[in-house]
Amino acid sequence: MTELDIGEFFIRGECREVRGEFQAVIAMRTKPPLKHITFHQVERDRWFKTPEDAAAAAKASARALKQAIDQGALDA
């Protein structure tokens, strides 16, 4: 999956391993010239048995976040 553009950030869903278990996370990278990357767990306290399951959940969450933003979720 390529990164999705959500305004000030590019996002992507990915898997992170923590002590043999897997988390679905969204990686947020600031647009240039900044290169800072932060990771946010998709669902608190949800762990996956395989990295493929975690990556699929993360990618789905990244797409859902992009869609929500495109539909105006952050507009005041």
Side-chain angles (χ1 to χ4, degrees):
M1 167 191 245
T2 58
E3 292 180 317
L4 303 171
D5 185 343
I6 62 165
E8 296 178 26
F9 298 94
F10 291 113
I11 64 168
R12 68 180 181 277
E14 61 182 59
C15 170
R16 298 213 28 174
E17 183 177 357
V18 179
R19 289 181 239 128
E21 294 188 301
F22 304 96
Q23 293 179 325
V25 297
I26 292 178
M28 297 181 70
R29 180 174 62 89
T30 56
K31 287 188 175 177
L34 304 173
K35 302 280 185 190
H36 184 73
I37 298 176
T38 58
F39 296 91
H40 303 276
Q41 190 172 353
V42 171
E43 295 182 47
R44 186 168 178 79
D45 298 329
R46 182 163 182 207
W47 297 87
F48 296 85
K49 297 289 183 190
T50 68
E52 295 82 14
D53 290 343
K59 290 175 183 177
S61 292
R63 283 188 207 102
L65 177 59
K66 167 73 171 146
Q67 183 179 16
I69 289 170
D70 287 348
Q71 293 176 349
L74 296 180
D75 295 337

